[in-house]
PDB file of all heavy atoms in Angstrom:
ATOM      1  N   VAL U1456      11.323   5.711  -1.054  1.00  0.00           N
ATOM      2  CA  VAL U1456      11.574   5.031  -2.324  1.00  0.00           C
ATOM      3  C   VAL U1456      10.510   3.933  -2.550  1.00  0.00           C
ATOM      4  O   VAL U1456      10.349   3.073  -1.675  1.00  0.00           O
ATOM      5  CB  VAL U1456      12.986   4.449  -2.372  1.00  0.00           C
ATOM      6  CG1 VAL U1456      13.324   3.955  -3.785  1.00  0.00           C
ATOM      7  CG2 VAL U1456      14.004   5.473  -1.901  1.00  0.00           C
ATOM      8  N   GLY U1459       4.261   2.691  -4.135  1.00  0.00           N
ATOM      9  CA  GLY U1459       3.135   1.765  -4.174  1.00  0.00           C
ATOM     10  C   GLY U1459       2.211   2.091  -2.982  1.00  0.00           C
ATOM     11  O   GLY U1459       2.159   3.205  -2.469  1.00  0.00           O
ATOM     12  N   TYR U1460       1.433   1.072  -2.574  1.00  0.00           N
ATOM     13  CA  TYR U1460       0.455   1.266  -1.493  1.00  0.00           C
ATOM     14  C   TYR U1460       1.137   1.786  -0.233  1.00  0.00           C
ATOM     15  O   TYR U1460       0.598   2.662   0.443  1.00  0.00           O
ATOM     16  CB  TYR U1460      -0.251  -0.082  -1.204  1.00  0.00           C
ATOM     17  CG  TYR U1460      -1.208  -0.469  -2.301  1.00  0.00           C
ATOM     18  CD1 TYR U1460      -0.766  -1.199  -3.400  1.00  0.00           C
ATOM     19  CD2 TYR U1460      -2.531  -0.069  -2.268  1.00  0.00           C
ATOM     20  CE1 TYR U1460      -1.638  -1.547  -4.425  1.00  0.00           C
ATOM     21  CE2 TYR U1460      -3.408  -0.388  -3.308  1.00  0.00           C
ATOM     22  CZ  TYR U1460      -2.955  -1.141  -4.352  1.00  0.00           C
ATOM     23  OH  TYR U1460      -3.797  -1.464  -5.387  1.00  0.00           O
ATOM     24  N   VAL U1461       2.308   1.252   0.086  1.00  0.00           N
ATOM     25  CA  VAL U1461       2.971   1.654   1.329  1.00  0.00           C
ATOM     26  C   VAL U1461       3.731   2.959   1.158  1.00  0.00           C
ATOM     27  O   VAL U1461       3.601   3.894   1.964  1.00  0.00           O
ATOM     28  CB  VAL U1461       3.916   0.525   1.809  1.00  0.00           C
ATOM     29  CG1 VAL U1461       4.810   0.990   2.950  1.00  0.00           C
ATOM     30  CG2 VAL U1461       3.097  -0.683   2.261  1.00  0.00           C
ATOM     31  N   ASP U1480      10.326   6.771  -7.462  1.00  0.00           N
ATOM     32  CA  ASP U1480       9.992   5.465  -8.036  1.00  0.00           C
ATOM     33  C   ASP U1480      10.709   5.359  -9.376  1.00  0.00           C
ATOM     34  O   ASP U1480      10.889   6.351 -10.089  1.00  0.00           O
ATOM     35  CB  ASP U1480       8.457   5.345  -8.230  1.00  0.00           C
ATOM     36  CG  ASP U1480       8.005   3.870  -8.234  1.00  0.00           C
ATOM     37  OD1 ASP U1480       8.357   3.186  -9.179  1.00  0.00           O
ATOM     38  OD2 ASP U1480       7.353   3.459  -7.262  1.00  0.00           O
ATOM     39  N   LYS U1485       4.373   6.222 -13.553  1.00  0.00           N
ATOM     40  CA  LYS U1485       3.746   6.476 -12.239  1.00  0.00           C
ATOM     41  C   LYS U1485       4.120   7.887 -11.749  1.00  0.00           C
ATOM     42  O   LYS U1485       3.279   8.649 -11.299  1.00  0.00           O
ATOM     43  CB  LYS U1485       4.278   5.442 -11.256  1.00  0.00           C
ATOM     44  CG  LYS U1485       3.222   4.775 -10.412  1.00  0.00           C
ATOM     45  CD  LYS U1485       3.843   3.776  -9.476  1.00  0.00           C
ATOM     46  CE  LYS U1485       3.004   2.565  -9.332  1.00  0.00           C
ATOM     47  NZ  LYS U1485       3.481   1.617  -8.338  1.00  0.00           N
ATOM     48  N   VAL U1534       9.960  -0.425  -1.377  1.00  0.00           N
ATOM     49  CA  VAL U1534       9.803  -1.109  -2.653  1.00  0.00           C
ATOM     50  C   VAL U1534       9.203  -2.492  -2.419  1.00  0.00           C
ATOM     51  O   VAL U1534       9.157  -2.996  -1.301  1.00  0.00           O
ATOM     52  CB  VAL U1534      11.139  -1.201  -3.397  1.00  0.00           C
ATOM     53  CG1 VAL U1534      11.653   0.189  -3.776  1.00  0.00           C
ATOM     54  CG2 VAL U1534      12.196  -1.925  -2.568  1.00  0.00           C
ATOM     55  N   THR U1536       8.579  -6.541  -2.297  1.00  0.00           N
ATOM     56  CA  THR U1536       9.385  -7.726  -1.967  1.00  0.00           C
ATOM     57  C   THR U1536       8.569  -8.953  -2.355  1.00  0.00           C
ATOM     58  O   THR U1536       8.099  -9.712  -1.509  1.00  0.00           O
ATOM     59  CB  THR U1536       9.744  -7.761  -0.469  1.00  0.00           C
ATOM     60  OG1 THR U1536       8.527  -7.511   0.284  1.00  0.00           O
ATOM     61  CG2 THR U1536      10.786  -6.753  -0.089  1.00  0.00           C
ATOM     62  N   GLU U1551      18.752  -3.156  -4.582  1.00  0.00           N
ATOM     63  CA  GLU U1551      19.020  -2.177  -5.674  1.00  0.00           C
ATOM     64  C   GLU U1551      19.021  -0.768  -5.058  1.00  0.00           C
ATOM     65  O   GLU U1551      19.883   0.076  -5.365  1.00  0.00           O
ATOM     66  CB  GLU U1551      17.873  -2.269  -6.660  1.00  0.00           C
ATOM     67  CG  GLU U1551      18.263  -2.154  -8.125  1.00  0.00           C
ATOM     68  CD  GLU U1551      17.028  -2.537  -8.946  1.00  0.00           C
ATOM     69  OE1 GLU U1551      16.135  -1.672  -9.134  1.00  0.00           O
ATOM     70  OE2 GLU U1551      16.959  -3.697  -9.344  1.00  0.00           O
ATOM     71  N   SER U1570       9.718  -1.921   3.707  1.00  0.00           N
ATOM     72  CA  SER U1570       9.205  -3.115   3.061  1.00  0.00           C
ATOM     73  C   SER U1570       9.252  -4.283   4.075  1.00  0.00           C
ATOM     74  O   SER U1570      10.040  -4.264   5.000  1.00  0.00           O
ATOM     75  CB  SER U1570      10.092  -3.515   1.879  1.00  0.00           C
ATOM     76  OG  SER U1570      10.282  -2.452   1.024  1.00  0.00           O
ATOM     77  N   THR U1571       8.395  -5.284   3.832  1.00  0.00           N
ATOM     78  CA  THR U1571       8.425  -6.476   4.687  1.00  0.00           C
ATOM     79  C   THR U1571       9.579  -7.365   4.240  1.00  0.00           C
ATOM     80  O   THR U1571       9.552  -7.849   3.103  1.00  0.00           O
ATOM     81  CB  THR U1571       7.074  -7.197   4.572  1.00  0.00           C
ATOM     82  OG1 THR U1571       6.032  -6.302   4.910  1.00  0.00           O
ATOM     83  CG2 THR U1571       7.057  -8.446   5.494  1.00  0.00           C
ATOM     84  N   GLU U1604       5.757  -1.873   8.165  1.00  0.00           N
ATOM     85  CA  GLU U1604       4.498  -1.134   8.086  1.00  0.00           C
ATOM     86  C   GLU U1604       3.310  -2.054   8.327  1.00  0.00           C
ATOM     87  O   GLU U1604       3.248  -3.155   7.816  1.00  0.00           O
ATOM     88  CB  GLU U1604       4.404  -0.489   6.674  1.00  0.00           C
ATOM     89  CG  GLU U1604       3.184   0.344   6.464  1.00  0.00           C
ATOM     90  CD  GLU U1604       2.955   1.348   7.608  1.00  0.00           C
ATOM     91  OE1 GLU U1604       3.872   2.152   7.881  1.00  0.00           O
ATOM     92  OE2 GLU U1604       1.881   1.335   8.204  1.00  0.00           O
ATOM     93  N   GLU U1608      -4.580  -2.006   3.500  1.00  0.00           N
ATOM     94  CA  GLU U1608      -5.102  -1.439   2.275  1.00  0.00           C
ATOM     95  C   GLU U1608      -6.579  -1.163   2.458  1.00  0.00           C
ATOM     96  O   GLU U1608      -7.295  -1.975   3.068  1.00  0.00           O
ATOM     97  CB  GLU U1608      -4.868  -2.379   1.085  1.00  0.00           C
ATOM     98  CG  GLU U1608      -3.456  -2.304   0.550  1.00  0.00           C
ATOM     99  CD  GLU U1608      -3.193  -3.254  -0.589  1.00  0.00           C
ATOM    100  OE1 GLU U1608      -4.120  -3.602  -1.327  1.00  0.00           O
ATOM    101  OE2 GLU U1608      -2.039  -3.699  -0.689  1.00  0.00           O
ATOM    102  N   SER U1715      -1.597  -8.797  -1.030  1.00  0.00           N
ATOM    103  CA  SER U1715      -0.145  -8.689  -1.339  1.00  0.00           C
ATOM    104  C   SER U1715       0.697  -9.103  -0.154  1.00  0.00           C
ATOM    105  O   SER U1715       1.907  -9.170  -0.263  1.00  0.00           O
ATOM    106  CB  SER U1715       0.181  -7.259  -1.701  1.00  0.00           C
ATOM    107  OG  SER U1715      -0.085  -6.410  -0.583  1.00  0.00           O
ATOM    108  N   CYS U1716       0.069  -9.336   1.003  1.00  0.00           N
ATOM    109  CA  CYS U1716       0.881  -9.547   2.215  1.00  0.00           C
ATOM    110  C   CYS U1716       0.775 -10.954   2.790  1.00  0.00           C
ATOM    111  O   CYS U1716       1.757 -11.665   2.859  1.00  0.00           O
ATOM    112  CB  CYS U1716       0.528  -8.510   3.249  1.00  0.00           C
ATOM    113  SG  CYS U1716       1.016  -6.861   2.772  1.00  0.00           S
ATOM    114  N   LYS U1719       2.272 -14.072   0.791  1.00  0.00           N
ATOM    115  CA  LYS U1719       3.722 -14.053   0.602  1.00  0.00           C
ATOM    116  C   LYS U1719       4.475 -14.024   1.917  1.00  0.00           C
ATOM    117  O   LYS U1719       5.544 -14.641   2.044  1.00  0.00           O
ATOM    118  CB  LYS U1719       4.144 -12.894  -0.337  1.00  0.00           C
ATOM    119  CG  LYS U1719       4.405 -11.567   0.345  1.00  0.00           C
ATOM    120  CD  LYS U1719       4.994 -10.568  -0.633  1.00  0.00           C
ATOM    121  CE  LYS U1719       4.972  -9.154  -0.079  1.00  0.00           C
ATOM    122  NZ  LYS U1719       5.603  -8.963   1.205  1.00  0.00           N
ATOM    123  N   ARG U1786      -3.907  -8.863  -5.998  1.00  0.00           N
ATOM    124  CA  ARG U1786      -2.846  -9.859  -5.828  1.00  0.00           C
ATOM    125  C   ARG U1786      -3.347 -11.025  -4.997  1.00  0.00           C
ATOM    126  O   ARG U1786      -3.922 -10.836  -3.928  1.00  0.00           O
ATOM    127  CB  ARG U1786      -1.628  -9.178  -5.177  1.00  0.00           C
ATOM    128  CG  ARG U1786      -0.932  -8.242  -6.141  1.00  0.00           C
ATOM    129  CD  ARG U1786       0.223  -7.527  -5.513  1.00  0.00           C
ATOM    130  NE  ARG U1786      -0.162  -6.333  -4.770  1.00  0.00           N
ATOM    131  CZ  ARG U1786       0.691  -5.424  -4.277  1.00  0.00           C
ATOM    132  NH1 ARG U1786       1.977  -5.601  -4.419  1.00  0.00           N
ATOM    133  NH2 ARG U1786       0.230  -4.368  -3.633  1.00  0.00           N
TER     134      ARG U1786
HETATM  135  P1  NAD D1226       3.854  -2.022  -4.632  1.00  0.00           P
HETATM  136  O1  NAD D1226       4.196  -3.110  -5.567  1.00  0.00           O
HETATM  137  O2  NAD D1226       2.502  -1.406  -4.660  1.00  0.00           O
HETATM  138  O3  NAD D1226       4.906  -0.825  -4.843  1.00  0.00           O
HETATM  139  C1  NAD D1226       6.296  -0.977  -4.914  1.00  0.00           C
HETATM  140  C2  NAD D1226       6.859   0.175  -5.748  1.00  0.00           C
HETATM  141  O4  NAD D1226       8.260   0.120  -5.698  1.00  0.00           O
HETATM  142  C3  NAD D1226       6.468   0.111  -7.237  1.00  0.00           C
HETATM  143  O5  NAD D1226       5.874   1.327  -7.586  1.00  0.00           O
HETATM  144  C4  NAD D1226       7.816  -0.071  -7.935  1.00  0.00           C
HETATM  145  O6  NAD D1226       7.861   0.597  -9.194  1.00  0.00           O
HETATM  146  C5  NAD D1226       8.782   0.566  -6.960  1.00  0.00           C
HETATM  147  N1  NAD D1226      10.177   0.179  -7.108  1.00  0.00           N
HETATM  148  C6  NAD D1226      10.700  -1.063  -7.334  1.00  0.00           C
HETATM  149  N2  NAD D1226      12.053  -1.001  -7.397  1.00  0.00           N
HETATM  150  C7  NAD D1226      12.386   0.284  -7.201  1.00  0.00           C
HETATM  151  C8  NAD D1226      13.628   0.983  -7.155  1.00  0.00           C
HETATM  152  N3  NAD D1226      14.793   0.349  -7.268  1.00  0.00           N
HETATM  153  N4  NAD D1226      13.616   2.295  -6.925  1.00  0.00           N
HETATM  154  C9  NAD D1226      12.435   2.951  -6.795  1.00  0.00           C
HETATM  155  N5  NAD D1226      11.255   2.349  -6.822  1.00  0.00           N
HETATM  156  C10 NAD D1226      11.207   1.032  -7.027  1.00  0.00           C
HETATM  157  O7  NAD D1226       4.208  -2.565  -3.188  1.00  0.00           O
HETATM  158  P2  NAD D1226       3.450  -2.259  -1.790  1.00  0.00           P
HETATM  159  O8  NAD D1226       2.169  -2.995  -1.720  1.00  0.00           O
HETATM  160  O9  NAD D1226       3.475  -0.793  -1.515  1.00  0.00           O
HETATM  161  O10 NAD D1226       4.446  -2.999  -0.784  1.00  0.00           O
HETATM  162  C11 NAD D1226       5.754  -2.534  -0.539  1.00  0.00           C
HETATM  163  C12 NAD D1226       6.351  -3.300   0.636  1.00  0.00           C
HETATM  164  O11 NAD D1226       5.590  -3.048   1.810  1.00  0.00           O
HETATM  165  C13 NAD D1226       6.304  -4.819   0.456  1.00  0.00           C
HETATM  166  O12 NAD D1226       7.452  -5.356   1.076  1.00  0.00           O
HETATM  167  C14 NAD D1226       5.061  -5.246   1.206  1.00  0.00           C
HETATM  168  O13 NAD D1226       5.176  -6.561   1.668  1.00  0.00           O
HETATM  169  C15 NAD D1226       5.063  -4.250   2.349  1.00  0.00           C
HETATM  170  N6  NAD D1226       3.729  -3.991   2.908  1.00  0.00           N
HETATM  171  C16 NAD D1226       2.657  -3.860   2.091  1.00  0.00           C
HETATM  172  C17 NAD D1226       1.422  -3.587   2.640  1.00  0.00           C
HETATM  173  C18 NAD D1226       0.203  -3.458   1.775  1.00  0.00           C
HETATM  174  O14 NAD D1226      -0.923  -3.458   2.305  1.00  0.00           O
HETATM  175  N7  NAD D1226       0.323  -3.342   0.470  1.00  0.00           N
HETATM  176  C19 NAD D1226       1.271  -3.397   4.027  1.00  0.00           C
HETATM  177  C20 NAD D1226       2.406  -3.517   4.828  1.00  0.00           C
HETATM  178  C21 NAD D1226       3.622  -3.799   4.252  1.00  0.00           C
END
Side-chain angles (χ1 to χ4, degrees):
V1456 190
Y1460 288 89
V1461 170
D1480 205 291
K1485 227 180 218 185
V1534 295
T1536 48
E1551 220 170 82
S1570 308
T1571 302
E1604 182 49 55
E1608 281 177 29
S1715 63
C1716 292
K1719 87 172 166 56
R1786 288 177 276 189

